[in-house]
Amino acid sequence: MLITSLENERVKKYNKLKERKYREKQQEFLVEGMHLVLEAYKKGQIIELILEKDEVLPLDLPTVYVTNEIIHRITSLETPTNIMALCKFPEEKPLGNRILILDGIQDPGNLGTIIRSAAAFHIDTIVLGENTVDLYNPKTIRSTQGMLFHVNVIKRELSSFLDELKEQNIPIYGTRVEYGEDVRSLHTNDKNKFALIMGNEGAGVSPEILEKCDKYLYIKMDDAVESLNVSIATSIILYELDRRD
Amino acid sequence: MLITSLENERVKKYNKLKERKYREKQQEFLVEGMHLVLEAYKKGQIIELILEKDEVLPLDLPTVYVTNEIIHRITSLETPTNIMALCKFPEEKPLGNRILILDGIQDPGNLGTIIRSAAAFHIDTIVLGENTVDLYNPKTIRSTQGMLFHVNVIKRELSSFLDELKEQNIPIYGTRVEYGEDVRSLHTNDKNKFALIMGNEGAGVSPEILEKCDKYLYIKMDDAVESLNVSIATSIILYELDRRD
């Protein structure tokens, strides 16, 4: 199928997927660029490929060809690529034993980078609190480098979710300098089953959430430095929680 | 002094400091917001404070008061603050024994975040190759969270700089998965004196630079994940190089 008109209903739909509300209603989103398209393909998440009309991509998928003008209409990039795909939201999977909870991360780049690190360090499920930036924000998707298809990401109201975890005896870790434990000193036993909570870039984890933690962790660093970027701090703790020695 | 005209020479100068070339000619740059201003103040880097006319900040410094209109002209922020400062470029300090070399980092946020982590994990000097994004880019400065005043940051032509390091018997570490050493297995002896090279977001370290390395490091992670974000990878390696146990 070749579409040439900006007024085509499919084009209008692709363009509308820039809005979070519409993505959530449709349970669909767009990815752009070869790398993301291939990661989505490997996980069976593609509904249809969207290619500029002279582009060739030998994947056995329904394909919609469009003009360069249409690509420019529907892209979220300054310099668009010729390869896009319409994807369905991944289905929720079981929680697993290694859980990362994000309470109020606001920067799409931080969220994407954290998802990439979580995939690298064997997190089973990432739980986004209600005040966290949208997973399907195009900037978030790009920053994940396709890793959003490799980790189970779900949304929850955090306060009641933490109560559920407590019933399941999953230890909850927060971060705090006072009364904290150096993340380097964690035992192997502490690393097999946990829910780590990381908070907002400026404010950290909400006080009412922090109260529910069983253990507090910190990263040892120079006294002159107040804190690390949240995606860095999260990644270092996940790296330690993945360490076996 | 109160300035009310956009045509004032100082206002023109502040505005021109948005250009890299002009910053380098003047050896001056602007910082915005209380946190950055206080970090610059502590290190004696402020030439003059720039405050919106009703703002009060009890620091013993030359102060220029300006109108809200002028703040909007000279800011690099979408939502400007009422507190800015004109700073001088920090002076170069001796190299020290713990060196981080950046070869072609392009994203200002990544550079800023790396500087913040380098300060946290006791790096003495950061060396920027010629193809690396500008240290005084406003986005870089914001991402450092003021830590650019805590680490010695210098610019060098990397190939000849590496030859100098070799003459000084400083071991050079690169990152590469093949033939690499797990960063977790580094000995304390490897952590006291080194130059770690990290490369461009997409392309990594240039081949001619990589050839000059004495040792290659990697971060153990899930096979499905090709790489981490460069600021994450750098921070995890610096964290390990700061570890003593």
Side-chain angles (χ1 to χ4, degrees), chain A:
Chain A
M1 181 193 339
L2 171 63
I3 301 176
T4 58
S5 164
L6 289 173
E7 298 308 314
N8 180 286
E9 287 305 316
R10 258 203 169 76
V11 173
K12 285 183 186 169
K13 175 183 161 170
Y14 296 154
N15 192 40
K16 243 184 135 182
L17 286 171
K18 287 175 188 161
E19 297 164 25
R20 177 175 186 166
K21 270 193 186 164
Y22 190 70
R23 288 195 294 266
E24 287 176 356
K25 184 174 156 238
Q26 297 293 122
Q27 299 279 301
E28 293 170 4
F29 63 109
L30 295 184
V31 299
E32 306 190 48
M34 180 68 92
H35 183 75
L36 277 164
V37 167
L38 287 180
E39 291 291 342
Y41 174 73
K42 283 192 263 175
K43 296 288 176 176
Q45 292 300 124
I46 296 183
I47 298 166
E48 61 200 24
L49 281 176
I50 306 161
L51 301 181
E52 211 201 311
K53 60 183 195 305
D54 300 325
E55 194 63 54
V56 178
L57 192 63
L59 299 180
D60 184 22
L61 286 170
T63 303
V64 177
Y65 294 92
V66 299
T67 60
N68 186 267
E69 184 188 34
I70 291 173
I71 291 276
H72 276 84
R73 166 67 59 91
I74 65 179
T75 186
S76 62
L77 299 170
E78 276 181 45
T79 315
T81 66
N82 299 337
I83 296 171
M84 301 171 76
L86 177 67
C87 297
K88 58 189 175 194
F89 278 18
E91 277 174 33
E92 279 199 14
K93 298 192 199 91
L95 276 183
N97 285 323
R98 299 167 56 82
I99 300 165
L100 172 63
I101 299 172
L102 301 177
D103 175 30
I105 300 288
Q106 286 305 303
D107 181 83
N110 280 341
L111 176 57
T113 303
I114 287 172
I115 291 172
R116 195 172 163 191
S117 294
F121 299 128
H122 303 103
I123 287 298
D124 296 317
T125 296
I126 299 175
V127 184
L128 308 180
E130 289 169 325
N131 49 358
T132 289
V133 64
D134 181 28
L135 173 62
Y136 299 103
N137 179 308
K139 280 188 199 165
T140 309
I141 294 174
R142 280 200 299 285
S143 303
T144 68
Q145 292 275 319
M147 291 304 117
L148 84 158
F149 300 111
H150 287 260
V151 190
N152 184 34
V153 187
I154 66 179
K155 281 199 277 188
R156 287 291 184 277
E157 192 283 305
L158 293 188
S159 186
S160 57
F161 179 71
L162 293 182
D163 294 338
E164 284 172 42
L165 292 180
K166 281 185 183 295
E167 279 170 28
Q168 294 173 49
N169 292 315
I170 296 182
I172 301 168
Y173 302 163
T175 49
R176 185 157 75 177
V177 177
E178 313 91 43
Y179 320 110
E181 188 174 319
D182 185 341
V183 66
R184 289 170 182 170
S185 65
L186 283 173
H187 293 287
T188 304
N189 286 343
D190 300 323
K191 299 181 180 181
N192 296 326
K193 191 160 122 180
F194 61 83
L196 170 70
I197 310 180
M198 299 298 293
N200 173 266
E201 286 83 354
V205 176
S206 336
E208 68 273 20
I209 298 292
L210 211 52
E211 262 179 25
K212 301 200 179 190
C213 293
D214 300 302
K215 194 196 275 287
Y216 300 99
L217 305 175
Y218 74 90
I219 298 168
K220 203 176 156 191
M221 65 181 100
D222 191 273
D223 291 337
V225 182
E226 280 170 35
S227 65
L228 297 166
N229 167 287
V230 67
S231 69
I232 301 287
T234 306
S235 300
I236 289 176
I237 297 175
L238 295 182
Y239 165 83
E240 281 291 355
L241 286 167
D242 195 41
R243 190 186 188 110
R244 295 284 179 282
D245 61 11

